[in-house]
Amino acid sequence: METIRTAVFCGCCAALALTIAGELISAEHFAKQIRLLFTLILAAAILRPLTALHLHFDLPDPETAQDIAAAQYADAQEIFRNAAAERICTALNLAFAEKDIPCEVVSVDVHIAADGSIGINEAIIRGNLLTGSVYLREWLGSGITVREEVQADA
């Protein structure tokens, strides 16, 4: 900040000197040379303090930036996968409730293909396993694995 303040002060002083010199020297045939000389002095006075600034930018290492981008992409994919699994569980539980089936989907194992399609590998349910698995295979396809939630003994 001090450097910029010094540059502005030097520019003002040089401009003031140029104005005073222009008024004192009334010779018209030297006016262009005097104006050129004082313009150069003004430019030097303004640029000199600014050249003392040492601007230093540290660019990130490209390999580090790629690693960070890959980690962020993996995190985003995981968040998207978890959100999709949660919404699928909610939709399946609403479908069970509409049909009055005493079953609840606890979790689903979701994978997302490169083309953006969502596949379900496995569903873990609580309640009537037989009826729940019949409906889940009907809704989601026969390739899905349906397991009953394992109750931890207390």
Side-chain angles (χ1 to χ4, degrees), residues 5-80:
R5 190 175 304 152
T6 304
V8 170
F9 178 73
C10 290
C12 290
C13 289
L16 180 66
L18 175 63
T19 304
I20 292 172
E23 293 298 320
L24 291 178
I25 301 173
S26 61
E28 290 294 323
H29 64 283
F30 290 121
K32 288 185 179 181
Q33 289 83 1
I34 292 173
R35 191 161 297 280
L36 175 65
L37 178 66
F38 277 105
T39 303
L40 292 175
I41 292 171
L42 176 63
I46 292 174
L47 294 177
R48 175 63 185 117
L50 294 178
T51 58
L53 290 176
H54 297 291
L55 301 176
H56 187 357
F57 297 105
D58 289 329
L59 297 175
D61 183 23
E63 292 175 2
T64 306
Q66 288 175 350
D67 293 342
I68 291 170
Q72 289 176 344
Y73 181 75
D75 291 344
Q77 286 294 95
E78 183 66 21
I79 290 169
F80 182 67

Side-chain angles (χ1 to χ4, degrees), residues 131-148:
T131 307
S133 62
V134 168
Y135 275 102
L136 285 176
R137 286 194 175 109
E138 179 183 324
W139 293 332
L140 303 174
S142 61
I144 187 171
T145 304
V146 180
R147 291 189 304 130
E148 188 174 17

Side-chain angles (χ1 to χ4, degrees), residues 111-119:
H111 70 277
I112 300 172
D115 64 352
S117 61
I118 298 173

Side-chain angles (χ1 to χ4, degrees), residues 85-142:
E86 185 178 319
R87 293 198 63 160
I88 291 169
C89 283
T90 302
L92 291 172
N93 287 329
L94 286 173
F96 279 141
E98 286 175 359
K99 295 199 178 284
D100 291 327
I101 300 171
C103 190
E104 178 186 0
V105 177
V106 177
S107 67
V108 291
D109 181 28
V110 175
H111 70 277
I112 300 172
D115 64 352
S117 61
I118 298 173
I120 302 171
N121 299 330
E122 180 180 49
I124 300 174
I125 62 174
R126 178 185 309 137
N128 189 340
L129 179 65
L130 182 61
T131 307
S133 62
V134 168
Y135 275 102
L136 285 176
R137 286 194 175 109
E138 179 183 324
W139 293 332
L140 303 174
S142 61

